Amino acid sequence: MNTDQQTLNIHLAQAQPSATYRMMDRVAARRACGAKVISLSAGEPDFDTPVHIREAAIEAIRAGHTRYTQVAGMRPLREAVAAKFRNENGLDEVTWQDTIVCSGGKQVIYNALAATLNEGDEVIVPAPYWVSYPEMVQLCGARAVIVTCGSESGFKLTPRALADAIGPRTRWLILNSPSNPTGAVYTRDELAALAEVLLAHPHVLVLSDDIYEHLIFDGAAFHTIAQVEPRLMSRTMTMNGVSKAYAMTGWRIGFGTGPRWLLEAMEKLQGQQTSGASSISQHAALAALTGPQQFIGETCSVFEQRRDLMVRLLNETPGLSCPTPGGAFYAFVSCEGLMGRTTAAGTKLCTDDDVAAALLDEANVAVVQGSAFGLAPYIRIAYALDDDALIEACRAIKRFCQSL
Ligand SMILES: Cc1ncc(COP(=O)(O)O)c(C=O)c1O
């Protein structure tokens, strides 16, 4: 540890920077050197925010809505968020006082954890997981209990694995459906079975990360655990946001509903931290939630077509095996068949880290190694690009794999 690190907060010093942001930096560095890189690494839709939402933000600026809002969000937005939870998720009792608005879904999750975790507490994180969960837990001084959920269970947590992971120090279980990085979607029955286990352990809180709710394929229905088992409502933080559904990643608006004691603690924390989210973004989010919704259906079917394209092309590639994801815009591809092979440039592929690095260096395609999400050897491919770019990227990946 060097001197600079010794001056850091111990929890921060031990946390890892985001692997996805690191890959984005490497892509930027290669592009700066003139390389034409196709990036399949970013976790954001490639569409523009719908015009009526952008117009609402411009109108908010013109109307002078440029001051601080209430810490937990402006009331009209909180009312829209409550209506969303009631109407779309069947959380019938939610009123605006049962909601909080934060600067991105990420802040909802972080603040829920930071408001509740103490040294020695445990958080159950099913793997593959979104890169930020274990690091957030670590930043809060608690311990992430990683439960590996392999392809045999569709990358999903089983009731037995959950029961085995719960201990006296368990404070939270984090669930994410549709999942980043696998696109796995929990069915109503699967959530009910997990809820059954949780009912026997009243000390465990549940964080349901529903940020990809609207990106769900094959006509499947979306379910969230507090709806499936209302008896868990009093200890569940159901979080969501506008980033993925309305292509609003840069606007930084997320929201959640949960028990009042938790919301009050999160509001107290936020009041000493960022205060209310950007007033202009809140007006944009209000337009998103209350305006026309066809954008969601249209983008979802585009992603579904791309999913079909990617699964087909990747499964035609020697050494790769791609299960069919049920939602989000990620494919979690096994690269086990590439292990031990040597690239044209002479690199031996021993890990999925090696595969991601070689794909970037030798094929100019950026993906993220599965180990960053807690399961190897895989690569995560984000298909948030148009068909031509995806086809070109898959061709480059295939050429790379054939040349080994
Ligand atoms: C699983 C998951 N949860 C939460 C977020 C946070 O979204 P945001 O902070 O942009 O609202 C992301 C973003 O990539 C995500 O993939």
Side-chain angles (χ1 to χ4, degrees), residues 43 103-107 109 130 133 176 178-180 209 211-212 239-244 248-249 252-254 330 380:
S103 299
K106 206 170 211 173
Q107 193 184 27
I109 302 170
W130 180 42
Y133 299 141
N176 173 218
S179 150
N180 176 5
D209 179 343
I211 198 91
Y212 294 98
M239 70 71 55
N240 211 318
V242 294
S243 288
K244 318 286 175 175
M248 291 178 71
T249 47
R252 312 308 306 130
I253 297 290
Y330 306 106
R380 188 198 72 170

Side-chain angles (χ1 to χ4, degrees), residues 305-319:
Q305 283 163 29
R306 290 180 186 169
R307 186 267 321 248
D308 293 341
L309 174 73
M310 293 303 281
V311 169
R312 182 169 60 75
L313 294 178
L314 290 165
N315 279 326
E316 285 170 11
T317 303

Side-chain angles (χ1 to χ4, degrees), residues 372-388:
F373 306 94
L375 194 69
Y378 285 86
I379 50 175
R380 188 198 72 170
I381 291 186
Y383 44 89
L385 293 177
D386 63 34
D387 284 4
D388 289 346

Side-chain angles (χ1 to χ4, degrees), residues 42-264:
E44 61 181 346
D46 52 313
F47 307 105
D48 289 332
T49 305
V51 171
H52 72 278
I53 299 175
R54 287 186 269 160
E55 292 295 339
I58 294 165
E59 182 45 38
I61 296 172
R62 289 219 175 89
H65 297 309
T66 52
R67 299 175 189 273
Y68 292 130
T69 70
Q70 292 88 342
V71 170
M74 60 184 205
R75 180 153 169 190
L77 179 56
R78 291 176 73 188
E79 279 173 352
V81 166
K84 178 253 175 295
F85 283 128
R86 287 194 305 269
N87 300 335
E88 292 186 351
N89 304 122
L91 304 178
D92 297 333
E93 309 290 313
V94 174
T95 69
W96 68 273
Q97 290 111 317
D98 303 308
T99 66
I100 190 163
V101 174
C102 298
S103 299
K106 206 170 211 173
Q107 193 184 27
V108 182
I109 302 170
Y110 185 81
N111 284 3
L113 297 174
T116 50
L117 289 174
N118 287 304
E119 209 83 26
D121 284 346
E122 294 177 354
V123 177
I124 297 174
V125 181
Y129 44 71
W130 180 42
V131 288
S132 293
Y133 299 141
E135 305 308 326
M136 287 181 179
V137 172
Q138 154 72 27
L139 286 173
C140 295
R143 192 169 80 83
V145 174
I146 307 295
V147 180
T148 303
C149 309
S151 57
E152 66 291 346
S153 66
F155 304 116
K156 291 187 260 190
L157 182 65
T158 61
R160 161 160 301 202
L162 172 60
D164 288 347
I166 294 175
R169 296 302 307 263
T170 307
R171 196 82 174 105
W172 287 94
L173 161 69
I174 300 183
L175 287 175
N176 173 218
S177 170
S179 150
N180 176 5
T182 64
V185 176
Y186 283 82
T187 64
R188 171 176 256 284
D189 287 351
E190 286 165 345
L191 289 174
L194 294 176
E196 193 66 35
V197 174
L198 290 162
L199 286 174
H201 300 280
H203 64 294
V204 180
L205 299 163
V206 186
L207 200 148
S208 181
D209 179 343
D210 300 352
I211 198 91
Y212 294 98
E213 165 181 12
H214 291 294
L215 298 176
I216 198 157
F217 310 142
D218 309 314
F222 171 79
H223 299 285
T224 192
I225 196 160
Q227 177 193 21
V228 171
E229 179 44 85
R231 284 176 291 174
L232 289 179
M233 185 75 191
S234 62
R235 52 184 165 115
T236 299
M237 166 54 63
T238 305
M239 70 71 55
N240 211 318
V242 294
S243 288
K244 318 286 175 175
Y246 301 95
M248 291 178 71
T249 47
W251 299 78
R252 312 308 306 130
I253 297 290
F255 44 77
T257 184
R260 292 263 175 110
W261 66 266
L262 177 57
L263 293 169
E264 280 162 20

